[in-house]
Amino acid sequence: MVQYRRPESVLVLIYTSHHEVLLLKRVHPFSYWQSVTGSMQEKEIKELAASRELKEETGLTNDGDMIDCRLSRSFEIDPRWQHRYHPNDRINIEHEFHYLLKDRCEVKLNPKEHGQFKWLSIDLAIQKTWSWTNKEALERLASRL
């Protein structure tokens, strides 16, 4: 039996009290910059998914404060990833979280997912990130800082 992804995910913006944002460079299926993202597992609540993805992609656990923004966005699943979802699933719901650190720190990337990381100003992060939902989340964060 084929195991499809749940069409619900998390986006975690990692930033410092100095307004620096961490971006990760994805390696598959093509190279692009993004914040921490990931699909929620079956029956997983969004808070646990955000913490799990943060740890899996950066190695960070209790270094900062996880903030549930209580905001979600819906978007059409990109055709490059559609094969991972049930054929009837066309829309993904993404829940936004912020992870506030006092200062920038080293991260431990999962090499299967990401090849590099950079700490950037919010403005540069907005320009560099690929996903419109990631850009929108960063713009919202910038307006609040």
Side-chain angles (χ1 to χ4, degrees), residues 2 49 55 58 62 72 77 84 88 94 97 106 110 113:
V2 177
K55 182 178 180 182
T58 67
N62 297 317
S72 61
I77 297 169
R84 299 176 179 174
N88 293 336
E94 179 181 76
F97 287 83
E106 284 295 314
N110 177 344
E113 293 191 50

Side-chain angles (χ1 to χ4, degrees), residues 24-28 32 34-37 56-58 109-117:
L24 312 175
K25 190 170 190 181
R26 187 97 185 166
V27 293
H28 296 292
Y32 60 93
Q34 69 175 136
S35 295
V36 168
T37 63
E56 286 177 5
E57 295 187 14
T58 67
L109 296 179
N110 177 344
K112 293 178 183 175
E113 293 191 50
H114 300 99
Q116 296 177 41
F117 71 89

Side-chain angles (χ1 to χ4, degrees), residues 71-127:
L71 177 72
S72 61
R73 294 175 189 81
S74 297
F75 60 88
E76 197 168 323
I77 297 169
D78 188 296
R80 289 170 279 206
W81 288 278
Q82 183 61 55
H83 66 279
R84 299 176 179 174
Y85 298 88
H86 187 278
N88 293 336
D89 291 333
R90 296 287 181 208
I91 302 295
N92 186 78
I93 299 169
E94 179 181 76
H95 303 282
E96 183 179 328
F97 287 83
H98 293 174
Y99 192 70
L100 175 60
L101 294 163
K102 183 176 179 184
D103 293 300
R104 63 167 72 175
C105 61
E106 284 295 314
V107 298
K108 297 174 191 162
L109 296 179
N110 177 344
K112 293 178 183 175
E113 293 191 50
H114 300 99
Q116 296 177 41
F117 71 89
K118 286 187 180 186
W119 288 99
L120 301 168
S121 69
I122 293 178
D123 291 339
L124 283 176
I126 292 167
Q127 292 174 24

